[in-house]
Amino acid sequence: MRISRFAVILALVLSHPSSFLHSQTPTGHEQQKAVPSTELQLTIGDNATTITQAELATLPQKSVTVHNPHTNKDETYTGVAVGDLLAKHGFAISQATHRTMLRSYITAEGTDRYWVLYSVTEIEPSEHAAEVIVATSIDGHALGEDGQLKLVASADKKPQRWVRNLSAIRLVTVAQASVAR
Ligand SMILES: Nc1nc2c(c(=O)[nH]1)N[C@H]1C(S)=C(S)[C@@H](COP(=O)(O)O)O[C@H]1N2
Ligand SMILES: [Mo]
């Protein structure tokens, strides 16, 4: 009896369904293994600095407790306020920079190139109630799968602007020539 090629393929699929039926497309909140973050590139205008864990450890530590709707748990993250990093590296809020602040944003990017945007006004403690930190620990221990650095914001209702494996923050001021004041 001649076994057709079709019958052979059908038999293979039926005997090993998981090999054929599971697509490689990630679903839900499955994550691909990301490259762990180790340090942070901070770029303010033309000025790029590398911020190490050792430097973060010398800066004032803030803790924020947030509710993670995915795990349905409260999580306490500890790290350094993004505003403090900006102030230390060339963008302190003063009367002279206040308007520039109102017209600036940061992008925060992970090692997997996922990135999000915050206006600078909403990360400045003097301007906005939310706390936005570069976290180095969660509940008193290392971040584990989330890398060594993670951006966390206290007031977002969803974790979509938290950035695991945070590796870069860039500050951009929007130039709008038609606006005189
Ligand atoms: N680096 C990185 N951070 C990320 C993402 C991502 O794909 N890469 N996804 C975001 C989105 S859309 C959500 S909802 C949360 C999911 O976080 P969790 O899977 O840790 O609950 O992480 C956010 N931070
Ligand atoms: Mo998401």
Side-chain angles (χ1 to χ4, degrees), residues 158-176:
K158 298 174 180 175
Q160 58 201 359
R161 286 204 299 176
W162 304 356
V163 182
R164 297 187 298 264
N165 293 295
L166 178 72
S167 57
I169 291 179
R170 181 180 300 270
L171 185 143
V172 179
T173 299
V174 178
Q176 203 170 343

Side-chain angles (χ1 to χ4, degrees), residues 29 31 68 70 110 112 114 146 150 159-160 162-165:
H29 297 108
Q31 309 164 10
N68 186 332
H70 289 166
D112 60 354
Y114 179 80
D146 290 353
K150 180 176 181 177
Q160 58 201 359
W162 304 356
V163 182
R164 297 187 298 264
N165 293 295

Side-chain angles (χ1 to χ4, degrees), residues 131-153:
E131 307 210 68
V132 184
I133 66 168
V134 176
T136 51
S137 68
I138 177 173
D139 298 331
H141 54 78
L143 296 167
E145 294 250 315
D146 290 353
Q148 290 177 26
L149 306 171
K150 180 176 181 177
L151 192 86
V152 179

Side-chain angles (χ1 to χ4, degrees), residues 6-94:
F6 174 76
V8 171
I9 291 169
L10 186 68
L12 270 173
V13 170
L14 291 177
S15 58
H16 298 87
S18 61
S19 310
F20 295 92
L21 298 179
H22 276 284
S23 75
Q24 295 303 306
T25 315
T27 56
H29 297 108
E30 279 173 38
Q31 309 164 10
Q32 280 161 328
K33 277 263 178 294
V35 179
S37 54
T38 51
E39 54 189 24
L40 175 67
Q41 280 293 123
L42 177 64
T43 308
I44 300 178
D46 295 332
N47 191 351
T49 336
T50 300
I51 295 175
T52 61
Q53 298 241 73
E55 177 177 345
L56 290 172
T58 66
L59 294 169
Q61 302 293 306
K62 281 198 178 164
S63 289
V64 296
T65 299
V66 291
H67 186 76
N68 186 332
H70 289 166
T71 55
N72 198 25
K73 280 182 185 145
D74 287 348
E75 299 173 332
T76 299
Y77 288 91
T78 303
V80 175
V82 175
D84 287 348
L85 287 177
L86 297 184
K88 186 179 173 195
H89 290 279
F91 197 88
I93 304 308
S94 67

